[in-house]
Amino acid sequence: MSAHMSPEEFRRHGKQVIDWIADYLAGIESYPVMSQVKPGEIRRALPPEPPEHGEPFEDVLADLDRVLLPGITHWQHPGFFAYYPSNASGPAILGDLLSSGLGVQGMLWVTSPACTELETVVVDWLAGLLGLPDHFRTDARGGGVIQDSASSACLVALLAALHRAGGGRFATHGADRPYTLYVSSQTHSSLEKAARITGLGSARVRVVDVDPRTLAMDPGHLRALLDQDVAAGAVPAMVCATVGTTSTAAIDPVAALGEICRERGIWLHVDAAYAGVAAICPEFRWVNDGVADHADSYSTNPHKWLLTNFDCTVLWTADRAPLLGALSILPEFLINAATSSGSVIDYRDWQVSLGRRFRALKLWSVIRWYGAEGLRAHIRKGVGLAQDLASWIAADPGFEVHEPHPLGLVCFRPRWPGLTGAAADQATTRLMELLNAGGELYMTHTRIDGRVVLRMAIGGVATERRHVEQAWERIRREHAALSAPGH
């Protein structure tokens, strides 16, 4: 049997790994942003059977370079403008390494008190930085918890909402009533998945109309749907308002939706996965208008735009009682004096799974390294570059920019002389595919009012003004070439 890696061997190989990561980040611009491999290529380059005998770690690193690196799409590349940022900063990477080194399983307070108590501190810190209400703090009636993703946060929020809507029956009897969930066409698909997982089913998800210009949820249509559903015997359980939709970064009118929810006793969850962290800057705190007075739960992703590597989503609730009622189960093997005393938080009761990583270490590392000032500077840089890009697009007669674009995402559409409808959409898609294949940048698309538009999300750790300028020039050149007569 191969021996365990000794502390001295770990020290030597660990330095190799740190050097490898540092070299990778330093030279990341030399790689094509989007992986160029074909389906199955990585699998065919790997042996079909595991090794019978242990191999040197140097061989692992060699195959990382030879086999795996060609199959990596480089999310930290300064030309990565697809989806939303997935920041992996130095202090976050080191914080994650410390978490892995400690190997903590923080399901209960007693299984590592520091794991739980550091988490309560950093989620309270972040709540303060974002200007969230005091009742979201863990020393109040609500509290915060780090989830793996916004999808899990939405699922947990829905479970809490169902627990409250059913007077506690949902945990024991399931969906024994016609509960309903309200989203818009722009809401993330994780809400429909949550409805399936909880047993509501997709048929119980109601889709609210959006404003055709802003793509924000229409409060008037929400009210009409609620009236229809209640008249038909439904039990509205939750409305999900989005602050920064995946498609266009649209922001739902939380205050207006919250008024309706408060009138009817419906749980309001605010999914601010992308845009919520912008509120760390006072000038962008308007994104959370209405949250303090109306949100029953709220989540945002430091692992998108706040310099903390995946996975790290923070979920806050205004009142933890429905959350704990929905999720708390205490088998004999988990009973201990601290839990029985009621004086500690056991985060196993705040999530779907039992086990949990020490994620707070990386968020703590990031906040301490950058400080509030550094975090604000990062957000402001991304917004400033996006606004510059939007102004360049608006000034070019060959393109049109989608309004509004207040944060780090810009959506725009090329104009194609002589092409309309599906033909124009095909040309836009072709332009995007050519740009992505070139290796200098990576962008994605969406549809607005039925038309294909391009998305550029700015906010990467390494992205500077020159990268945005180079991307825009490349887009203009490719567009001009495709628009040329006879192409």
Side-chain angles (χ1 to χ4, degrees):
M1 183 183 77
S2 296
H4 294 302
M5 187 180 285
S6 70
E8 284 308 312
E9 289 174 318
F10 175 78
R11 188 188 311 279
R12 177 164 59 87
H13 295 309
K15 289 178 179 177
Q16 291 175 325
V17 169
I18 292 293
D19 285 344
W20 189 97
I21 295 172
D23 289 343
Y24 167 72
L25 294 175
I28 197 167
E29 286 190 63
S30 65
Y31 300 103
V33 186
M34 193 175 182
S35 172
Q36 308 292 301
V37 302
K38 303 272 192 306
E41 191 172 329
I42 302 298
R43 183 183 178 101
R44 288 190 295 272
L46 294 167
E49 302 293 337
E52 182 64 27
H53 304 288
E55 300 177 355
F57 198 76
E58 287 83 358
D59 290 359
V60 175
L61 290 177
D63 281 349
L64 176 60
D65 282 323
R66 181 181 65 87
V67 179
L68 299 185
L69 205 53
I72 296 294
T73 288
H74 302 282
W75 284 66
Q76 306 312 313
H77 194 292
F80 186 98
F81 304 111
Y83 308 106
Y84 281 127
S86 184
N87 293 165
S89 67
I93 295 168
L94 293 175
D96 222 8
L97 178 61
L98 290 170
S99 174
S100 296
L102 288 169
V104 166
Q105 214 283 40
M107 57 189 178
L108 300 167
W109 177 89
V110 74
T111 59
S112 274
C115 182
T116 294
E117 296 195 17
L118 180 64
E119 186 158 337
T120 64
V121 168
V122 296
V123 298
D124 284 353
W125 278 3
L126 187 56
L129 288 170
L130 299 179
L132 295 177
D134 286 345
H135 55 256
F136 278 172
R137 293 177 55 88
T138 50
D139 53 9
R141 62 188 175 90
V145 56
I146 300 178
Q147 304 279 346
D148 57 4
S149 65
S151 296
S152 293
C154 291
L155 173 59
V156 167
L158 179 57
L159 287 166
L162 289 165
H163 181 82
R164 192 177 76 177
R169 289 176 54 86
F170 192 86
T172 53
H173 293 78
D176 61 343
R177 302 177 188 179
Y179 299 104
T180 45
L181 165 65
Y182 299 81
V183 302
S184 83
S185 61
Q186 305 299 304
T187 303
H188 195 276
S189 59
S190 61
L191 271 297
E192 181 177 347
K193 182 178 284 189
R196 295 183 185 185
I197 294 170
T198 57
L200 295 187
S202 299
R204 292 287 174 193
V205 180
R206 301 290 192 259
V207 180
V208 184
D209 290 344
V210 296
D211 181 288
R213 187 184 70 86
T214 65
L215 301 181
M217 188 183 288
D218 178 4
H221 189 232
L222 172 64
R223 190 182 294 276
L225 280 180
L226 289 169
D227 288 342
Q228 293 171 16
D229 288 342
V230 170
V235 181
M238 188 173 92
V239 173
C240 180
T242 305
V243 174
T245 60
T246 302
S247 183
T248 65
I251 296 175
D252 289 337
V254 173
L257 300 173
E259 289 287 352
I260 297 169
C261 290
R262 174 163 291 188
E263 290 170 9
R264 300 163 184 254
I266 302 169
W267 187 287
L268 177 65
H269 175 65
V270 177
D271 176 11
Y274 164 61
V277 298
I280 202 167
C281 301
E283 66 269 31
F284 300 131
R285 200 153 285 173
W286 56 265
V287 300
N288 287 331
D289 285 350
V291 168
D293 293 330
H294 300 293
D296 293 286
S297 54
Y298 176 96
S299 59
T300 192
N301 290 357
H303 70 229
K304 278 191 169 67
W305 201 7
L306 204 63
L307 298 162
T308 307
N309 56 304
F310 188 83
D311 52 356
C312 184
T313 292
V314 183
L315 168 69
W316 289 272
T317 182
D319 180 1
R320 71 185 71 177
L323 179 67
L324 301 183
L327 295 173
S328 181
I329 299 175
L330 187 61
E332 183 66 31
F333 72 91
L334 293 180
I335 294 175
N336 63 87
T339 295
S340 299
S341 74
S343 61
V344 300
I345 287 177
D346 288 332
Y347 274 126
R348 67 183 180 89
D349 296 331
W350 297 56
Q351 61 180 31
V352 172
S353 60
L354 174 62
R356 61 195 328 269
R357 300 176 61 236
F358 198 170
R359 294 187 185 92
L361 263 177
K362 58 188 173 186
L363 184 54
W364 186 55
S365 299
V366 166
I367 294 174
R368 293 193 64 182
W369 174 269
Y370 287 99
E373 182 181 39
L375 297 174
R376 293 186 188 111
H378 177 66
I379 297 295
R380 286 168 177 152
K381 185 179 82 168
V383 173
L385 291 175
Q387 299 316 304
D388 287 344
L389 173 64
S391 70
W392 303 335
I393 296 170
D396 192 314
F399 296 83
E400 59 181 282
V401 67
H402 172 69
E403 301 283 356
H405 47 76
L407 299 172
L409 176 69
V410 181
C411 295
F412 61 100
R413 187 171 67 87
R415 292 189 171 101
W416 303 101
L419 298 181
T420 59
D425 288 344
Q426 289 171 3
T428 300
T429 302
R430 176 61 176 156
L431 172 62
M432 180 185 70
E433 291 170 345
L434 287 171
L435 290 166
N436 290 344
E440 295 177 21
L441 61 98
Y442 180 24
M443 62 199 317
T444 53
H445 79 283
T446 189
R447 283 185 181 269
I448 298 176
D449 196 24
R451 301 297 305 279
V452 173
V453 299
L454 303 178
R455 299 172 71 259
M456 282 188 65
I458 300 172
V461 176
T463 302
E464 302 291 346
R465 182 182 178 86
R466 64 182 175 88
H467 300 110
V468 181
E469 290 174 340
Q470 291 165 3
W472 171 234
E473 287 305 312
R474 179 67 189 274
I475 292 167
R476 292 180 69 233
R477 288 199 307 269
E478 290 287 358
H479 175 253
L482 288 177
S483 301
H487 186 277

